[in-house]
Amino acid sequence: MKITIFGANGQIGQLLVKQALEAGYDVTAYTRRPNTLSIEHEKLQIVVGALTDQEKLREAITGRDAVLSVLGPKMSMKRKVSDLPIAEAHKAIISVMEEFGPERFITLATPAISAKEDVKQLATVLPSLMPRLLMPTGYAEMKEIEKLLKTAKLDWTVVRIIDPNAKTDGNGYGISFGDTKSKMSVSRYNAAKCMLDAATKDEWIHKMPIVFNN
């Protein structure tokens, strides 16, 4: 399997790259700055470019089987909503994928992005309420990405996380599609593992699993 990973130099992104390589995948890691990913492997290719550089995006995406994004907004508490670079990146990535392929797209988000299956519970209500009050730009990023995905002509999956700061990996991970009870935290390792697993789960197409530590 050939995959492209955006946000590959972040904490979850690096774990995702390592897991994909361990699984034997050919990995294209997309980073915005050179020399920010210290992983070397014969099956790893690094592409450096701006998140809206159409030429670089085509280089990184065309000919792959799936695209995974762990791009996340800055944790800013400024009251004024500023630019939405992560949403703009999703718009550019989706545009290239719709024109050149592949169709399979997995992205990382929070339950601020709502699924049609969601019922009212802490895991679906709190992650939307708190960012709206405390981090309006991050919340706006999530809602714009939600709009983009729900109109995209792609086989997308949104892996939703709430608190990726669990100190252990627990006993693997569990998921809820928002309609069953979900725990509130997950390790970065399990978040990455769920994203990688999503790439081969056709039953998760157009679904938004919330992932948490077992």
Side-chain angles (χ1 to χ4, degrees):
M1 193 170 185
K2 298 178 180 179
I3 66 172
T4 296
I5 298 173
F6 288 89
N9 58 313
Q11 290 179 303
I12 295 176
Q14 291 186 54
L15 291 168
L16 182 55
V17 170
K18 290 175 182 177
Q19 291 175 16
L21 292 171
E22 288 169 2
Y25 294 172
D26 290 317
V27 178
T28 299
Y30 197 101
T31 64
R32 283 172 275 186
R33 296 175 299 278
N35 304 316
T36 56
L37 186 63
S38 58
I39 302 171
E40 294 184 3
H41 195 281
E42 61 182 7
K43 289 196 170 187
L44 175 64
Q45 173 190 0
I46 298 174
V47 176
V48 179
L51 291 174
T52 55
D53 185 326
Q54 293 286 311
E55 185 176 340
K56 286 290 185 179
L57 291 178
R58 285 196 296 272
E59 177 187 342
I61 290 172
T62 305
R64 276 58 172 189
D65 300 302
V67 173
L68 292 77
S69 168
V70 287
L71 296 169
K74 291 183 179 180
M75 305 297 284
S76 172
M77 298 183 72
K78 292 181 179 178
R79 300 306 305 161
K80 183 178 180 181
V81 175
S82 56
D83 294 337
L84 305 179
I86 304 305
E88 286 299 314
H90 277 71
K91 183 177 181 180
I93 292 166
I94 289 168
S95 174
V96 170
M97 291 181 70
E98 287 181 334
E99 185 171 358
F100 299 99
E103 295 181 357
R104 194 71 177 101
F105 181 49
I106 297 96
T107 191
L108 192 69
T110 74
I113 292 182
S114 60
K116 64 180 185 296
E117 294 88 356
D118 285 350
V119 297
K120 285 188 177 180
Q121 57 167 310
L122 281 178
T124 57
V125 175
L126 196 62
S128 181
L129 179 63
M130 296 301 289
R132 190 185 309 181
L133 296 173
L134 301 176
M135 292 172 285
T137 296
Y139 178 78
E141 291 266 38
M142 291 294 104
K143 299 311 287 184
E144 187 60 29
I145 290 168
E146 178 181 337
K147 291 178 187 176
L148 290 167
L149 288 172
K150 288 183 176 180
T151 59
K153 298 178 179 66
L154 298 175
D155 293 336
W156 53 260
T157 297
V158 180
V159 173
R160 297 184 289 175
I161 59 174
I162 299 171
D163 177 20
N165 296 306
K167 291 182 171 58
T168 69
D169 297 329
N171 185 27
Y173 71 81
I175 65 160
S176 165
F177 290 108
D179 54 349
T180 56
K181 190 173 179 59
S182 169
K183 297 179 183 178
M184 297 289 286
S185 65
V186 67
S187 70
R188 294 183 178 93
Y189 179 90
N190 281 335
K193 183 67 168 59
C194 183
M195 288 201 70
L196 191 64
D197 291 345
T200 58
K201 289 183 179 290
D202 289 346
E203 64 270 27
W204 286 9
I205 291 174
H206 296 165
K207 297 289 187 179
M208 301 187 184
I210 301 170
V211 58
F212 51 86
N213 275 12
N214 278 330

